[in-house]
Every structure is written in C-alpha cells, then in structure tokens.
Amino acid sequence: MSNRKPYVREMKRTWWKDHPFYRMYMVREATILPLIFFTAFLTVGLGSLVMGEAAWQNWLSFMANPVVIAINIVALLGSLYHAQTFFSMMPQVMPIRIGGKKLDKKIIVLAQWAAVAVISAVILFVV
C-alpha cells in the first residue's frame, strides 16, 4: 500500500456560475420552487372548496394577494421555460422520419407548441 493521498480537485460552491449552460440549468431547476407553491395553493383551494362557501371565499381572497399573484406568474413562466427546454430537446431524443427523411427540428418544436395552444384553447372553451 502507498501512503500517497489521492488527488481531490477543489470544487467551489459557485462552480455553475462559470458557464452559461450550467447557469441556465440551475435556473431551470430553481423554477420548481414557485411550481411547488402553486401546487400547494391549488391543493389548499380544493380543500377549501370541500369545506364550504366561507372557506372558498377565504381562499379566493388569499389568491387575490399580490404576492400570491406574483408567485403564480413566476410559476407560469417557469413552466413555460420547462416546456421550451423539453420541446427543444425532443428532436434530438426522438428524431421523426417521414419517408426516410428526418423531419426538420423546427417543425417538431412548432408542432408541439401548436398542440399546446390547441389543447389550451379547447380547455378554455370547455371550462
């Protein structure tokens, strides 16, 4: 056995700030926090809906709070950012071939956004 110490490269806590790819990755991962709050708010809203009219009105007034509205807007932007990164990665993960030719990446991404728009419009008009 050797008495030499193994080389351990020093890693600073801010290693991710040095490269734009890692910065955007960390921003994407951090967007989960407002989404957690949004989910918790909706879960409490479902509970208040079950408890009756007074609880529902209290929840509605809570949701009208500017801080809650800001959190919901940040959650919406975060979910759109998640969708954009997922949709842009899709052509590399699952390339689509039609007639032996690869479909253009832009067409795949635009088709996904079109599907989101159509589904959102259907839900908007049905509800």
Side-chain angles (χ1 to χ4, degrees), residues 46-63:
L46 285 174
S48 65
L49 185 61
V50 170
M51 288 193 284
E53 179 77 25
W56 176 251
Q57 292 302 323
N58 286 337
W59 183 76
L60 286 178
S61 65
F62 170 75
M63 291 301 287

Side-chain angles (χ1 to χ4, degrees), residues 16 20-36 74-75 77-90:
W16 53 273
F21 175 80
Y22 296 122
R23 274 196 307 268
M24 293 312 292
Y25 173 79
M26 294 301 277
V27 166
R28 182 178 188 271
E29 294 301 309
T31 58
I32 194 66
L33 296 173
L35 290 172
I36 289 171
V74 172
L77 295 175
S79 64
L80 289 174
Y81 181 62
H82 275 268
Q84 186 272 330
T85 56
F86 178 77
F87 290 168
S88 65
M89 165 174 62
M90 178 75 173

